[in-house]
Amino acid sequence: MTESQVPVSDGGAGPVHPETAAVLGGRTDGEASLAPVLYPTSTFSFDSFDEGRRLATAHAPERFYSRYGNPTINAFENTIADLEGAEAARAFSSGMGAISAVILGLCSSGDHVVAQNHLYAGTQLFFQTVCPRMGIDVTFVDGTVPGAFAEAVIPGRTMLVFAETPANPRLDLVDLDDLGSIVGALTVVDSTFATPMVQNPLAHGVDLVLHSATKGIAGANDATLGVVAGSQELISWLWGFATLHGANASPYDAYNAHRGLRTLGARLRQQSETAAALAEFLEGCGEVSEVRYPGLSSHPQHELALRQMRSMGGLLTFDLIGGSEAGKRFVEATSIARQATSLGGPETLICHSATTTHVSLTSEELAAAGIGEGTVRVSCGLEHVDDLVNDIARAIAATEV
Ligand SMILES: *Cc1c(COP(=O)(O)O)cnc(C)c1O
């Protein structure tokens, strides 16, 4: 058992595995409801003058006003904190809500950020457009090169080091031990592709882990939600900013995501199994030039994947030799896999990266990110693996003129 496989949580039942923590987490003592409890209310009444004053000046009150806190949202946050081995967590209205709150909540004009060059395109645009406007300088580095983040840190100026692993869209990995050993700057990992089932960056010394819970965590394409976990001190600071930033989570989304967490372990196990089978199939296809999946021994960082990931996840990326024409034919020829961005849900989703998720990138940026004309990303769903592989095989055959 590697360190990343050590049980993460003491859900009141002693140390347990993450699948168990996901089922145990976020329950209130004495609450008989097995399903999460939905508090759609925007505000709460208080009993007395003194109680009003106490709540108005309290830190993160659970029942005062829902932008400050809400029992449904808090239950979701507590489960994420358990799963990530964190002291605390804070939910946001989306993954970008979480990312923008971390950057703007922690950085000031004149600060410096080191960011990975391969990121979710929204995060990349935030670093390239919003940060310069706020006077925050950003240096992009190749996160796959050991020591690259640490070398770019400017002592006394670098506030944040921001990484994503596995990264969009080619599933490049960042060595979490390497990142966690950085001193003098706060380290942040976007762990969306992994979910808390696959890896726990905080256990490697990273300061904050964040997720677009819109994806695998909620897992049913029925919530738009983000979450950040870390020390009580950092999350308290972010809470203060977040109440003013206003990108607070909706209780409905937190409810859906909390319910989603209960089945995350089983869903991810199936999605990983399917992705591994599909990756192997694609590696044997003459029409495909490269398949990227951390579980394949051909992945350039396969050893690192085995060291820091408990399972390899449901995402893979491949390149069609026939370029953009083949990419177009492929995505239009599947009947089970659907064309959509997003990932981690029950439906297998495919997208042609250059014209969808990464359409905001210049051609030089696309090339630097390893995104070609024929690059397709697949998020494996919960269909039977044989049906999916047959569907993909038919679509690959349709790419030939
Ligand atoms: C989707 C995604 C985001 C943004 O999340 P939203 O919930 O869409 O705002 C950030 N990072 C990664 C890796 C993502 O996949």
Side-chain angles (χ1 to χ4, degrees), residues 94-97 99 120 123 164 168 190 192-193 212 214-215 224-225 343:
S94 65
M96 284 311 301
I99 290 164
Y120 179 72
T123 315
E164 180 179 308
N168 256 302
D190 182 337
T192 299
F193 277 22
S212 167
T214 310
K215 314 293 170 54
T224 302
L225 189 70
L343 53 112

Side-chain angles (χ1 to χ4, degrees), residues 113-127:
V113 173
V114 181
Q116 192 171 337
N117 55 359
H118 301 167
L119 290 167
Y120 179 72
T123 315
Q124 184 169 342
L125 267 183
F126 195 93
F127 281 130

